[in-house]
Amino acid sequence: MAVHPTAIVEDGARLGAGVEIGPYCIVGRDAVLGDGVRLLSHAIVSGKTAIGANTIVHPHAVLGGEAQIYNNDAPEARLEIGSGNTIREAVTINLGSKKGRGVTKVGNNCFFMAGSHIGHDCHVGNNVTLANGAMLGGHFDVGDGVIMGGLAAAQQFGRVGRYAFISGLSGISTDVIPYGIAIGLHVRLGGLNLIGLRRRNIPRANIHALRAAYRAIFLEGKGSIQDNAREADVAGKWKGIPEVEEVIAFILADAKRPITPARRRGEDESED
Protein backbone atom coordinates (compact mmCIF):
# COMPACT_ATOMS: atom_id res chain seq x y z
CA MET A 1 0.00 0.00 0.00
CA ALA A 2 1.38 3.41 -1.02
CA VAL A 3 -0.20 6.64 0.22
CA HIS A 4 1.32 9.93 -0.89
CA PRO A 5 2.13 12.23 2.05
CA THR A 6 -0.18 14.95 0.68
CA ALA A 7 -3.18 12.61 0.53
CA ILE A 8 -5.81 12.55 3.29
CA VAL A 9 -7.12 9.14 4.33
CA GLU A 10 -9.61 9.44 7.18
CA ASP A 11 -9.64 7.01 10.06
CA GLY A 12 -12.02 4.15 9.32
CA ALA A 13 -11.31 3.89 5.59
CA ARG A 14 -10.53 0.32 4.56
CA LEU A 15 -7.76 -0.17 2.02
CA GLY A 16 -7.01 -3.47 0.30
CA ALA A 17 -3.64 -4.89 -0.62
CA GLY A 18 -1.65 -2.94 -3.18
CA VAL A 19 -3.81 0.19 -3.05
CA GLU A 20 -2.13 3.36 -4.35
CA ILE A 21 -3.35 6.80 -3.29
CA GLY A 22 -1.68 9.63 -5.14
CA PRO A 23 -1.05 13.30 -4.35
CA TYR A 24 -3.86 15.39 -2.84
CA CYS A 25 -6.46 12.62 -2.89
CA ILE A 26 -9.12 12.48 -0.17
CA VAL A 27 -10.55 9.17 1.03
CA GLY A 28 -13.45 9.36 3.48
CA ARG A 29 -13.86 7.32 6.64
CA ASP A 30 -16.60 5.10 5.18
CA ALA A 31 -14.79 4.29 1.93
CA VAL A 32 -13.67 0.78 0.99
CA LEU A 33 -10.98 0.40 -1.67
CA GLY A 34 -10.43 -3.11 -3.00
CA ASP A 35 -7.08 -4.70 -3.78
CA GLY A 36 -5.04 -2.87 -6.37
CA VAL A 37 -7.25 0.23 -6.59
CA ARG A 38 -5.28 3.27 -7.79
CA LEU A 39 -6.25 6.89 -7.17
CA LEU A 40 -3.83 8.80 -9.36
CA SER A 41 -4.14 12.30 -7.88
CA HIS A 42 -6.68 14.88 -6.68
CA ALA A 43 -9.45 12.25 -6.58
CA ILE A 44 -12.15 12.29 -3.90
CA VAL A 45 -13.86 9.18 -2.56
CA SER A 46 -16.50 10.09 0.00
CA GLY A 47 -19.60 8.65 1.64
CA LYS A 48 -20.29 4.93 1.90
CA THR A 49 -18.44 4.12 -1.30
CA ALA A 50 -16.95 0.74 -2.14
CA ILE A 51 -14.62 0.41 -5.14
CA GLY A 52 -13.74 -3.02 -6.51
CA ALA A 53 -10.29 -4.42 -7.20
CA ASN A 54 -7.97 -2.95 -9.82
CA THR A 55 -10.13 0.06 -10.63
CA ILE A 56 -8.15 3.12 -11.70
CA VAL A 57 -9.43 6.59 -10.78
CA HIS A 58 -7.92 9.55 -12.61
CA PRO A 59 -7.44 13.14 -11.36
CA HIS A 60 -10.36 15.24 -10.14
CA ALA A 61 -12.90 12.43 -10.18
CA VAL A 62 -15.46 12.68 -7.35
CA LEU A 63 -16.97 9.38 -6.30
CA GLY A 64 -19.64 9.15 -3.63
CA GLY A 65 -20.79 12.74 -3.62
CA GLU A 66 -24.24 13.31 -2.16
CA ALA A 67 -27.19 12.83 -4.51
CA GLN A 68 -28.03 16.02 -6.38
CA ILE A 69 -31.58 16.20 -5.11
CA TYR A 70 -33.49 18.66 -2.94
CA ASN A 71 -34.15 17.80 0.70
CA ASN A 72 -32.05 14.68 0.61
CA ASP A 73 -31.18 13.21 3.98
CA ALA A 74 -29.77 9.74 3.40
CA PRO A 75 -26.93 8.90 5.80
CA GLU A 76 -27.06 5.23 4.76
CA ALA A 77 -26.93 5.91 1.01
CA ARG A 78 -24.24 3.96 -0.82
CA LEU A 79 -22.21 3.76 -3.99
CA GLU A 80 -20.97 0.36 -5.16
CA ILE A 81 -18.41 0.25 -7.97
CA GLY A 82 -17.18 -3.07 -9.33
CA SER A 83 -13.72 -4.20 -10.35
CA GLY A 84 -11.47 -3.41 -13.28
CA ASN A 85 -13.05 -0.07 -14.12
CA THR A 86 -11.30 2.93 -15.64
CA ILE A 87 -12.66 6.23 -14.34
CA ARG A 88 -11.13 9.16 -16.15
CA GLU A 89 -10.65 12.83 -15.28
CA ALA A 90 -13.48 14.76 -13.57
CA VAL A 91 -15.96 11.89 -13.64
CA THR A 92 -18.69 12.22 -10.99
CA ILE A 93 -20.73 9.32 -9.58
CA ASN A 94 -23.23 10.09 -6.83
CA LEU A 95 -24.54 8.09 -3.88
CA GLY A 96 -28.07 6.76 -3.86
CA SER A 97 -30.88 8.83 -2.37
CA LYS A 98 -33.52 8.52 0.31
CA LYS A 99 -36.29 8.88 -2.30
CA GLY A 100 -34.71 6.29 -4.59
CA ARG A 101 -33.08 2.91 -4.23
CA GLY A 102 -30.60 4.13 -1.65
CA VAL A 103 -27.70 2.80 -3.69
CA THR A 104 -25.97 3.61 -6.97
CA LYS A 105 -24.37 0.58 -8.62
CA VAL A 106 -21.67 0.26 -11.29
CA GLY A 107 -20.55 -3.10 -12.67
CA ASN A 108 -17.16 -4.37 -13.78
CA ASN A 109 -14.76 -3.38 -16.57
CA CYS A 110 -16.49 -0.13 -17.44
CA PHE A 111 -14.76 2.82 -19.10
CA PHE A 112 -16.00 6.27 -18.11
CA MET A 113 -14.29 9.01 -20.09
CA ALA A 114 -13.53 12.53 -18.88
CA GLY A 115 -16.40 14.58 -17.51
CA SER A 116 -19.02 11.84 -17.65
CA HIS A 117 -21.62 11.67 -14.88
CA ILE A 118 -23.70 8.95 -13.21
CA GLY A 119 -26.52 10.30 -11.10
CA HIS A 120 -28.03 8.99 -7.88
CA ASP A 121 -29.70 5.57 -7.80
CA CYS A 122 -28.47 4.56 -11.26
CA HIS A 123 -27.68 0.93 -11.96
CA VAL A 124 -24.99 0.48 -14.62
CA GLY A 125 -23.98 -2.94 -15.92
CA ASN A 126 -20.66 -4.44 -16.94
CA ASN A 127 -18.44 -3.32 -19.83
CA VAL A 128 -20.28 -0.02 -20.26
CA THR A 129 -18.57 2.89 -22.01
CA LEU A 130 -19.53 6.51 -21.40
CA ALA A 131 -17.68 8.86 -23.74
CA ASN A 132 -16.62 12.37 -22.73
CA GLY A 133 -19.39 14.36 -21.10
CA ALA A 134 -22.06 11.65 -21.30
CA MET A 135 -24.55 12.02 -18.46
CA LEU A 136 -27.06 9.77 -16.70
CA GLY A 137 -29.84 11.38 -14.71
CA GLY A 138 -30.99 9.73 -11.50
CA HIS A 139 -32.70 6.33 -11.28
CA PHE A 140 -31.44 5.32 -14.74
CA ASP A 141 -30.65 1.70 -15.74
CA VAL A 142 -27.94 0.81 -18.26
CA GLY A 143 -27.46 -2.76 -19.43
CA ASP A 144 -24.20 -4.58 -20.07
CA GLY A 145 -22.04 -3.50 -22.99
CA VAL A 146 -23.81 -0.21 -23.71
CA ILE A 147 -21.82 2.53 -25.43
CA MET A 148 -22.91 6.17 -25.07
CA GLY A 149 -21.29 8.77 -27.30
CA GLY A 150 -19.91 12.10 -26.18
CA LEU A 151 -22.32 14.56 -24.55
CA ALA A 152 -25.25 12.16 -24.74
CA ALA A 153 -27.69 12.81 -21.90
CA ALA A 154 -30.22 10.45 -20.33
CA GLN A 155 -33.36 11.64 -18.56
CA GLN A 156 -34.22 10.24 -15.13
CA PHE A 157 -36.04 6.92 -14.66
CA GLY A 158 -35.16 5.59 -18.11
CA ARG A 159 -33.54 2.42 -19.41
CA VAL A 160 -31.03 1.45 -22.08
CA GLY A 161 -30.95 -2.26 -22.84
CA ARG A 162 -27.88 -4.44 -23.20
CA TYR A 163 -25.41 -3.74 -26.00
CA ALA A 164 -27.29 -0.72 -27.30
CA PHE A 165 -25.36 2.13 -28.90
CA ILE A 166 -26.26 5.77 -28.26
CA SER A 167 -24.86 8.34 -30.67
CA GLY A 168 -23.10 11.47 -29.45
CA LEU A 169 -25.15 14.58 -28.60
CA SER A 170 -28.28 12.45 -28.19
CA GLY A 171 -31.03 13.18 -25.69
CA ILE A 172 -32.54 10.02 -24.21
CA SER A 173 -36.07 10.59 -22.92
CA THR A 174 -37.41 7.17 -23.95
CA ASP A 175 -36.29 3.59 -23.27
CA VAL A 176 -33.83 2.20 -25.82
CA ILE A 177 -34.24 -1.51 -26.57
CA PRO A 178 -31.38 -4.00 -26.20
CA TYR A 179 -29.13 -4.13 -29.28
CA GLY A 180 -30.62 -0.91 -30.67
CA ILE A 181 -28.86 2.11 -32.16
CA ALA A 182 -30.35 5.40 -30.95
CA ILE A 183 -29.73 8.59 -32.89
CA GLY A 184 -30.80 12.22 -32.68
CA LEU A 185 -31.46 15.11 -30.34
CA HIS A 186 -34.67 13.33 -29.33
CA VAL A 187 -33.54 9.80 -30.02
CA ARG A 188 -35.07 7.50 -32.60
CA LEU A 189 -33.93 4.00 -33.40
CA GLY A 190 -31.79 3.90 -36.50
CA GLY A 191 -31.70 0.10 -36.54
CA LEU A 192 -29.82 -2.57 -34.64
CA ASN A 193 -26.25 -2.56 -33.41
CA LEU A 194 -25.17 -5.21 -35.91
CA ILE A 195 -21.46 -4.54 -35.38
CA GLY A 196 -21.86 -5.07 -31.66
CA LEU A 197 -23.85 -8.26 -32.22
CA ARG A 198 -21.16 -9.69 -34.49
CA ARG A 199 -18.39 -8.71 -32.10
CA ARG A 200 -20.12 -10.72 -29.41
CA ASN A 201 -20.34 -13.75 -31.69
CA ILE A 202 -24.13 -13.85 -31.75
CA PRO A 203 -25.06 -16.59 -34.25
CA ARG A 204 -25.95 -15.35 -37.70
CA ALA A 205 -29.36 -17.04 -37.54
CA ASN A 206 -30.16 -15.19 -34.32
CA ILE A 207 -29.15 -11.87 -35.88
CA HIS A 208 -31.44 -12.53 -38.86
CA ALA A 209 -34.27 -13.38 -36.47
CA LEU A 210 -33.64 -10.22 -34.46
CA ARG A 211 -33.73 -8.10 -37.62
CA ALA A 212 -37.01 -9.69 -38.68
CA ALA A 213 -38.52 -9.12 -35.25
CA TYR A 214 -37.33 -5.48 -35.30
CA ARG A 215 -39.08 -4.91 -38.63
CA ALA A 216 -42.26 -6.56 -37.38
CA ILE A 217 -42.40 -4.60 -34.14
CA PHE A 218 -41.10 -1.18 -35.16
CA LEU A 219 -41.63 -0.80 -38.91
CA GLU A 220 -44.35 -3.08 -40.26
CA GLY A 221 -46.72 -3.70 -37.37
CA LYS A 222 -50.07 -1.91 -37.43
CA GLY A 223 -50.44 -1.44 -33.68
CA SER A 224 -48.41 0.29 -31.01
CA ILE A 225 -44.89 -0.92 -30.24
CA GLN A 226 -46.23 -2.77 -27.20
CA ASP A 227 -49.11 -4.29 -29.17
CA ASN A 228 -46.76 -5.46 -31.91
CA ALA A 229 -44.36 -6.93 -29.36
CA ARG A 230 -47.23 -8.66 -27.55
CA GLU A 231 -48.48 -10.09 -30.83
CA ALA A 232 -44.99 -11.36 -31.66
CA ASP A 233 -44.76 -12.92 -28.21
CA VAL A 234 -48.12 -14.69 -28.50
CA ALA A 235 -47.37 -15.91 -32.03
CA GLY A 236 -44.18 -17.50 -30.76
CA LYS A 237 -42.46 -17.18 -34.14
CA TRP A 238 -39.14 -16.34 -32.49
CA LYS A 239 -39.55 -18.45 -29.37
CA GLY A 240 -36.19 -19.80 -28.27
CA ILE A 241 -34.21 -16.94 -29.81
CA PRO A 242 -32.83 -15.33 -26.63
CA GLU A 243 -32.03 -11.95 -28.21
CA VAL A 244 -35.56 -11.56 -29.57
CA GLU A 245 -37.10 -12.73 -26.32
CA GLU A 246 -34.97 -10.20 -24.44
CA VAL A 247 -36.16 -7.33 -26.64
CA ILE A 248 -39.81 -8.35 -26.31
CA ALA A 249 -39.51 -8.67 -22.52
CA PHE A 250 -37.86 -5.23 -22.37
CA ILE A 251 -40.69 -3.66 -24.36
CA LEU A 252 -43.42 -5.32 -22.29
CA ALA A 253 -41.83 -4.61 -18.89
CA ASP A 254 -43.56 -2.23 -16.50
CA ALA A 255 -41.55 0.98 -16.96
CA LYS A 256 -41.83 4.72 -16.45
CA ARG A 257 -40.75 5.78 -19.96
CA PRO A 258 -42.13 4.88 -23.39
CA ILE A 259 -40.07 2.85 -25.82
CA THR A 260 -37.92 4.74 -28.32
CA PRO A 261 -39.63 4.50 -31.73
CA ALA A 262 -37.85 3.78 -35.00
CA ARG A 263 -36.97 6.49 -37.45
CA ARG A 264 -39.34 6.29 -40.37
CA ARG A 265 -38.19 6.56 -43.95
CA GLY A 266 -38.15 10.19 -44.99
CA GLU A 267 -38.23 11.51 -41.44
CA ASP A 268 -36.18 14.69 -41.16
CA GLU A 269 -33.42 14.24 -38.59
CA SER A 270 -33.27 17.99 -38.04
CA GLU A 271 -36.78 17.86 -36.58
CA ASP A 272 -35.77 15.49 -33.77
Side-chain angles (χ1 to χ4, degrees):
M1 185 175 63
V3 179
H4 194 275
T6 61
I8 297 173
V9 179
E10 295 182 353
D11 292 342
R14 289 182 283 167
L15 310 182
V19 166
E20 298 180 16
I21 301 176
Y24 301 103
C25 292
I26 300 175
V27 179
R29 65 180 180 272
D30 295 319
V32 179
L33 306 186
D35 295 349
V37 167
R38 296 173 61 203
L39 310 183
L40 299 188
S41 77
H42 297 84
I44 297 176
V45 181
S46 59
K48 297 182 183 299
T49 296
I51 302 178
N54 300 313
T55 289
I56 301 175
V57 183
H58 286 249
H60 303 289
V62 180
L63 310 179
E66 186 177 353
Q68 297 179 113
I69 185 172
Y70 287 117
N71 302 318
N72 184 55
D73 181 15
E76 299 304 315
R78 308 189 318 280
L79 167 60
E80 299 174 1
I81 298 174
S83 62
N85 296 293
T86 298
I87 300 174
R88 292 301 301 262
E89 297 82 357
V91 167
T92 52
I93 308 178
N94 294 154
L95 298 167
S97 72
K98 182 178 181 179
K99 296 179 180 180
R101 297 156 162 165
V103 58
T104 303
K105 291 186 177 182
V106 171
N108 306 319
N109 302 312
C110 296
F111 185 22
F112 303 142
M113 299 185 196
S116 54
H117 170 73
I118 297 174
H120 59 88
D121 303 292
C122 288
H123 285 186
V124 177
N126 304 316
N127 301 296
V128 171
T129 299
L130 302 183
N132 300 73
M135 296 175 285
L136 303 179
H139 314 276
F140 201 89
D141 289 344
V142 179
D144 294 345
V146 168
I147 298 174
M148 288 182 60
L151 299 177
Q155 191 173 354
Q156 298 92 330
F157 295 102
R159 300 176 297 156
V160 174
R162 294 197 314 150
Y163 304 117
F165 179 88
I166 311 298
S167 68
L169 296 172
S170 292
I172 308 167
S173 57
T174 49
D175 288 350
V176 179
I177 60 168
Y179 315 107
I181 290 180
I183 303 168
L185 180 59
H186 300 288
V187 289
R188 299 289 186 271
L189 291 176
L192 295 171
N193 184 9
L194 298 177
I195 293 175
L197 287 163
R198 291 168 185 146
R199 285 176 176 170
R200 289 167 179 83
N201 297 315
I202 303 299
R204 183 182 295 271
N206 291 29
I207 294 176
H208 287 323
L210 189 57
R211 294 178 72 178
Y214 177 86
R215 289 193 298 271
I217 294 171
F218 289 95
L219 299 176
E220 298 171 356
K222 300 187 184 303
S224 68
I225 294 172
Q226 284 79 8
D227 288 342
N228 296 338
R230 197 172 291 111
E231 183 178 335
D233 187 39
V234 171
K237 182 177 180 180
W238 296 289
K239 188 174 180 59
I241 306 296
E243 294 78 18
V244 177
E245 292 180 341
E246 181 179 354
V247 169
I248 290 174
F250 185 94
I251 293 171
L252 298 181
D254 184 18
K256 295 180 180 294
R257 299 285 180 197
I259 298 296
T260 302
R263 186 183 302 284
R264 298 287 181 171
R265 183 173 298 175
E267 186 176 358
D268 184 359
E269 185 173 347
S270 66
E271 295 178 357
D272 290 347

